């Protein structure tokens, strides 16, 4: 295993919009991307664009090659995948295993932990396009981090290397955190879609462009009212992905 303070061999399982971008960010921070496991045509195309030259490999081989395994797959697939890999004996002692699902902390990684792996749960509070545009957007983006206390600095350091700002969410609080994230995304998307539809219905051209300054300023004003709310101190600590 490489020195944790140095560079890691990073393997990506799931080249969705989140995974491909985070792996690219880690590669940009100097880590070596050892392989990617992707199945769908969209994921393969995304992997080729965001991680050029990185070999596409079967999942067990990605795990075997990597010191940090990035699991960027839909939340519902996490538990069976981690348990299935544990049954094959591919998890390695001291290996970092990081998932990006909002709703789970590290309990879902227990089969890997029992094999000696180090579990990390890291979720970026950002909506992804799956393109290089996201790399710039990562700068200053908050990441929810859950991990055992002794390895929390590792998770926080990885977030900082990707350009983000880590904040800690307790294991028991992950469901509420996930609900908050889903509420923000669902309501903001629905409101913009509804307002754009109404403007389009009365013949307004480019309703998205017309609404953009209003929506941004309204959201920024609302966020400012909550910027110094309870729990902000924790920030200093710190979609499915497909």
């Amino acid at each position: 295993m490489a020195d944790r303070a140095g560079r890691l061999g990073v393997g990506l399982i799931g080249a969705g919009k989140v995974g491909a971008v985070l792996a690219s960010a880690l590669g940009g921070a100097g880590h070596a991307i050892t392989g990617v496991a992707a199945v769908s045509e969209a994921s393969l195309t995304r992997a080729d664009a965001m991680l050029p030259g990185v070999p596409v490999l079967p999942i067990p081989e990605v795990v075997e090659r990597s010191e940090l395994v990035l699991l960027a797959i839909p939340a519902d697939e996490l538990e069976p995948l981690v348990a299935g890999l544990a049954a094959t004996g591919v998890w390695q002692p001291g290996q970092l295993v990081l998932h990006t699902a909002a709703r789970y902390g590290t309990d879902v990684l227990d089969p890997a932990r029992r094999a000696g792996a180090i579990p990390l749960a890291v979720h970026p509070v950002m909506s992804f396009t799956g393109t290089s545009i996201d790399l710039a957007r990562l700068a200053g983006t908050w990441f929810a981090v859950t991990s055992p206390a002794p390895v929390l600095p590792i998770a926080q350091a990885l977030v900082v290397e990707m350009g983000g700002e880590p904040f800690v969410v307790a294991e028991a609080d992950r469901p509420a955190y996930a609900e908050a994230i889903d509420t923000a995304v669902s309501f903001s998307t629905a409101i913009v879609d509804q307002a754009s539809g109404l403007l389009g219905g009365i013949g307004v051209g480019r309703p998205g462009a017309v609404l953009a300054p209003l929506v941004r300023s309204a959201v920024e004003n609302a966020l400012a009212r909550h910027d110094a709310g309870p729990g902000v101190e924790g920030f200093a600590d710190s979609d499915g992905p497909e």
Side-chain angles (χ1 to χ4, degrees), residues 178-192:
E179 183 178 0
I181 296 303
D182 182 64
T183 298
V185 173
S186 299
F187 275 79
S188 58
T189 300
I191 289 169
V192 170

Side-chain angles (χ1 to χ4, degrees), residues 50 89 103-104 169 185 195:
M50 296 297 295
R103 83 172 73 152
Y104 295 123
V169 176
V185 173

Side-chain angles (χ1 to χ4, degrees), residues 2-202:
D3 183 352
R4 290 283 183 263
R7 303 302 85 190
L8 298 169
V10 179
L12 171 63
I13 298 176
K17 293 178 180 179
V18 175
V21 172
L22 296 189
S24 180
L26 289 169
H31 298 287
I33 311 302
T34 58
V36 55
V39 177
S40 71
E41 183 177 346
S43 292
L44 290 169
T45 300
R46 192 177 297 113
D48 184 58
M50 296 297 295
L51 305 167
V54 174
V56 177
L57 303 169
I59 290 176
E61 190 171 348
V62 171
V63 175
E64 289 170 353
R65 285 183 172 211
S66 305
E67 294 154 324
L68 166 60
V69 179
L70 177 57
L71 299 173
I73 60 177
D76 292 341
E77 297 178 16
L78 258 179
E79 188 171 4
L81 175 64
V82 174
L85 288 171
T88 68
V90 297
W91 296 120
Q92 305 163 41
Q95 185 175 48
L96 300 171
V97 183
L98 184 157
H99 79 72
T100 61
R103 83 172 73 152
Y104 295 123
T106 58
D107 284 354
V108 72
L109 301 176
D110 273 350
R113 175 164 34 194
R114 287 192 290 269
I118 298 171
L120 310 171
V122 175
H123 177 263
V125 188
M126 190 178 104
S127 182
F128 285 74
T129 66
T131 68
S132 59
I133 293 172
D134 295 333
L135 293 173
R137 291 176 175 172
L138 284 177
T141 290
W142 293 100
F143 283 66
V145 174
T146 305
S147 74
V151 295
L152 185 59
I154 296 175
Q156 292 171 318
L158 290 170
V159 169
V160 171
E161 286 189 324
M162 289 185 282
E165 297 284 347
F167 68 101
V168 177
V169 176
E171 183 80 31
D173 293 333
R174 290 293 288 219
Y177 165 76
E179 183 178 0
I181 296 303
D182 182 64
T183 298
V185 173
S186 299
F187 275 79
S188 58
T189 300
I191 289 169
V192 170
D193 286 347
Q194 182 178 3
S196 296
L198 290 169
L199 289 181
I202 60 172

